[in-house]
Amino acid sequence: ASAHEVFGSGVSGYAYNDFVLLPGHIYFSADDVCLKTNVTKRLQLNAPMISSPMDTVTESTMAINMALQGGMGVVHYNCSIREQMKEVDRVKRFENGFITDPKTLSPDATVADAMQIKKRFGFSGIPITADGQMGSKLLGILTNRDVEFVRKHSDTIVADVMTTELVTAPEGSTLEEAYQVLKECKKGKLPIVDSQYRLVGLVARTDLLKNKEHPNASKDSTGKRLVCGAAVGTRVEDRERLDSLVPLGLDVVVLDSSQGDSTYQLEMMRYIKNKHPHLDVIAGNVVTKNQAYHLIRAGADGLRVGMGCGSICTTQEVMACGRPQATAVYNVSSIAREFGVPVIADGGVSSTGHIIKGLCVGASAVMMGSMLAGTEESPGEYFYKDGVRLKKYRGMGSHEAMKKGSAVRYFSEDDRILVAQGVSGAVADRGSIKRFMPYLVAGVKHGFQDIGVRSLGELHETLYNGRLRFQVRTPAAQMEGNVHSLFTYEKSAA
């Protein structure tokens, strides 16, 4: 059957496990599959995978590694404004190519000032200019070796210990040319200067190496910095949080609400579009065409779909409200497509097969929580239970998370009695994102190969013209399609 015949009736709702895709003709290799996708009207990723803005899933470490692998991380907001700013700033500063705003010092500054920069931003190799600002004459550079044996940091000025014999590159040099200079001089930092020897930029050896190691990294419009999203609420006080995040170079803001079709979200959208018209907005969450239409009319650049389908979410059980995920994604995608608005399938994903199915019903990307919560890059520490290595994972609607601040997501911040819409639990160790994400990407590519499509654009074309065929599965068929008839077995995630 076609997608419209399966999901368009409106009577029955289907989850990812309720159907399977019929294979197509293979005429290409899995390596030929292109997974580039738009998650907003303007923002493109190299892999259709996003980490969820949950306090047990995405902070800077997760966001950095997701972007390096071609996806994107959305930093949660269950923290202070200053803490969220710190996490976003770490992502945007991680890999810069040409660093156009490096931290600089004047020759009169002390070594203690340099150590503060290193402690706050995590790097050394600080250019020293005449007035301590970009655009003034370069006098030297302060490296770890220069301060290694300095005992009295507060009493030593950088002019006395900085390196003055410098290797520089002229303004207008390409990254490849800068790499060749660094390769020859074996330095860690390469200042870029104009004809009057004024500092106009900086290139770091470590950044160039990261560029070579991660050719599919998702970069912003400058092509130099990793993409990063951040979630905010829809209260009036959340506007201050947003205004603090935008100057850091935020690429997209996610309006985080369990039910996105509200006057609060529409007002927040109007505020963003008026004050920050350049900033892309992913609105949601929604599961119906009506909800989607309201947010699209208000200016949403992307939509997040899912209500009560996450592994730790109890919204459908507690609130009797929501929709099976596959049906929700198909219906929202079918109307969003008319306006050129990409859709992100949020929740219900526990395997590469679910990722493929989410994309096959119209999503441009999937958002994952539990799939990534057990990785080394998620916040929190591992612990052992019954010999299994675990990590804590909780829903943002759990009592624990709501008490910390996420109650605003469920319009419950003023309630005397908090009604939980999620639970706290634990997930098994999945290793590092550095190994897990390539496994997920490879799995999706092989799935596309079996279906007979070479790109997401081609997949969606076959979806809407009826050539992509679906088969609804009975409970017996679902059992048959999973591991069965074995006394014992091991199932590896990667």
Side-chain angles (χ1 to χ4, degrees):
S2 69
H4 179 72
E5 290 168 332
V6 175
F7 305 108
S9 68
V11 178
S12 297
Y14 295 103
Y16 293 142
N17 283 338
D18 289 324
F19 67 93
V20 71
L21 296 144
L22 300 187
H25 174 63
I26 296 177
Y27 59 98
F28 53 88
S29 73
D31 290 337
D32 293 332
V33 174
C34 176
L35 295 181
K36 284 187 177 180
T37 185
N38 274 64
V39 290
T40 70
K41 292 176 181 177
R42 291 178 291 190
L43 181 60
Q44 187 178 77
L45 303 181
N46 290 323
M49 298 161 200
I50 303 171
S51 64
S52 182
M54 303 171 74
D55 59 7
T56 51
V57 178
T58 309
E59 289 181 351
S60 57
T61 304
M62 176 65 77
I64 287 168
N65 283 280
M66 286 295 292
L68 287 175
Q69 299 296 335
M72 181 177 73
V74 181
V75 178
H76 74 86
Y77 70 108
N78 209 20
C79 56
S80 69
I81 295 175
R82 184 183 294 273
E83 287 171 331
Q84 192 178 20
M85 286 176 63
K86 184 179 176 183
E87 298 300 322
V88 171
D89 194 45
R90 279 179 181 164
V91 182
K92 298 306 294 182
R93 287 187 177 276
F94 179 77
E95 186 176 357
N96 294 286
F98 285 109
I99 306 169
T100 56
D101 60 342
K103 295 298 175 185
T104 55
L105 289 172
S106 70
D108 298 327
T110 64
V111 172
D113 296 326
M115 299 307 286
Q116 278 296 318
I117 290 176
K118 182 180 178 182
K119 181 179 178 182
R120 183 176 177 189
F121 298 105
F123 55 78
S124 56
I126 303 167
I128 309 302
T129 62
D131 63 2
Q133 302 293 324
M134 279 287 291
S136 71
K137 188 175 180 180
L138 179 66
L139 302 178
I141 192 165
L142 192 71
T143 68
N144 276 334
R145 292 174 186 169
D146 297 326
V147 300
E148 198 170 4
F149 298 108
V150 176
R151 292 187 176 181
K152 297 182 179 180
H153 292 173
S154 300
D155 299 333
T156 306
I157 61 173
V158 297
D160 294 339
V161 293
M162 68 183 183
T163 298
T164 54
E165 295 180 9
L166 303 176
V167 176
T168 63
E171 186 178 16
S173 299
T174 65
L175 272 177
E176 189 59 36
E177 290 168 342
Y179 178 73
Q180 287 302 323
V181 175
L182 283 171
K183 189 177 178 182
E184 291 168 10
C185 71
K186 296 180 172 61
K187 300 286 186 181
K189 296 286 196 305
L190 180 68
I192 309 297
V193 295
D194 64 13
S195 58
Q196 297 180 36
Y197 212 70
R198 292 177 299 201
L199 182 69
V200 295
L202 188 72
V203 175
R205 185 186 190 89
T206 52
D207 285 351
L208 290 175
L209 291 174
K210 288 166 194 165
N211 275 327
K212 295 177 80 70
E213 291 170 5
H214 301 283
N216 292 321
S218 295
K219 305 284 184 70
D220 61 18
S221 57
T222 66
K224 300 171 185 176
R225 300 191 296 179
L226 297 179
V227 297
C228 181
V232 299
T234 55
R235 302 169 303 171
V236 174
E237 49 265 43
D238 286 311
R239 297 177 182 182
E240 179 189 352
R241 180 182 293 269
L242 176 72
D243 293 342
S244 301
L245 293 170
V246 170
L248 301 175
L250 188 68
D251 297 289
V252 60
V253 63
V254 175
L255 298 184
D256 194 35
S257 176
S258 62
Q259 213 284 52
D261 187 13
S262 68
T263 56
Y264 312 109
Q265 186 149 155
L266 297 177
E267 287 168 6
M268 187 65 161
M269 196 108 64
R270 281 191 285 270
Y271 173 80
I272 296 171
K273 291 301 178 181
N274 285 331
K275 188 161 185 182
H276 307 289
H278 65 284
L279 182 64
D280 281 356
V281 182
I282 295 174
N285 283 30
V286 296
V287 292
T288 70
K289 290 183 178 181
N290 275 343
Q291 287 179 302
Y293 182 65
H294 293 159
L295 296 182
I296 291 170
R297 281 192 62 190
D301 301 293
L303 291 174
R304 193 170 159 208
V305 178
M307 190 172 182
C309 57
S311 62
I312 39 66
C313 189
T314 60
T315 297
Q316 292 185 21
E317 178 187 345
V318 175
M319 301 299 174
C321 203
R323 198 173 199 179
Q325 184 68 342
T327 299
V329 173
Y330 175 77
N331 279 276
V332 173
S333 297
S334 61
I335 187 171
R337 173 173 170 265
E338 297 175 15
F339 298 90
V341 176
V343 161
I344 298 166
D346 176 23
V349 174
S350 60
S351 67
T352 52
H354 289 165
I355 296 173
I356 295 165
K357 289 179 180 181
L359 300 174
C360 283
V361 291
S364 294
V366 296
M367 183 172 276
M368 299 176 287
S370 63
M371 281 275 281
L372 304 176
T375 61
E376 293 172 9
E377 289 77 11
S378 66
E381 300 295 326
Y382 285 107
F383 64 95
Y384 286 87
K385 185 173 183 180
D386 298 329
V388 180
R389 195 171 189 235
L390 304 169
K391 226 177 193 185
K392 192 170 187 180
Y393 177 53
R394 68 185 185 192
M396 299 309 287
S398 65
H399 263 299
E400 198 175 340
M402 290 173 84
K403 285 179 180 177
K404 192 178 176 184
S406 70
V408 296
R409 187 177 191 270
Y410 300 87
F411 310 107
S412 302
E413 69 271 28
D414 297 322
D415 293 357
R416 291 183 180 180
I417 300 174
L418 293 177
V419 179
Q421 296 184 46
V423 298
S424 297
V427 290
D429 174 22
R430 289 189 183 271
S432 172
I433 282 288
K434 297 178 181 70
R435 294 184 298 275
F436 190 47
M437 269 290 285
Y439 162 78
L440 296 178
V441 169
V444 173
K445 285 186 174 184
H446 279 282
F448 276 34
Q449 183 190 34
D450 283 349
I451 295 166
V453 294
R454 292 194 295 182
S455 68
L456 260 167
E458 188 179 339
L459 176 70
H460 289 165
E461 184 182 334
T462 62
L463 167 67
Y464 293 111
N465 67 21
R467 282 192 290 129
L468 185 63
R469 308 303 285 178
F470 297 78
Q471 185 90 64
V472 176
R473 299 198 294 178
T474 64
Q478 292 181 40
M479 187 179 297
E480 179 185 70
N482 279 314
V483 179
H484 60 91
S485 305
L486 297 179
F487 176 71
T488 181
Y489 70 93
E490 289 184 12
K491 197 171 185 179
S492 175

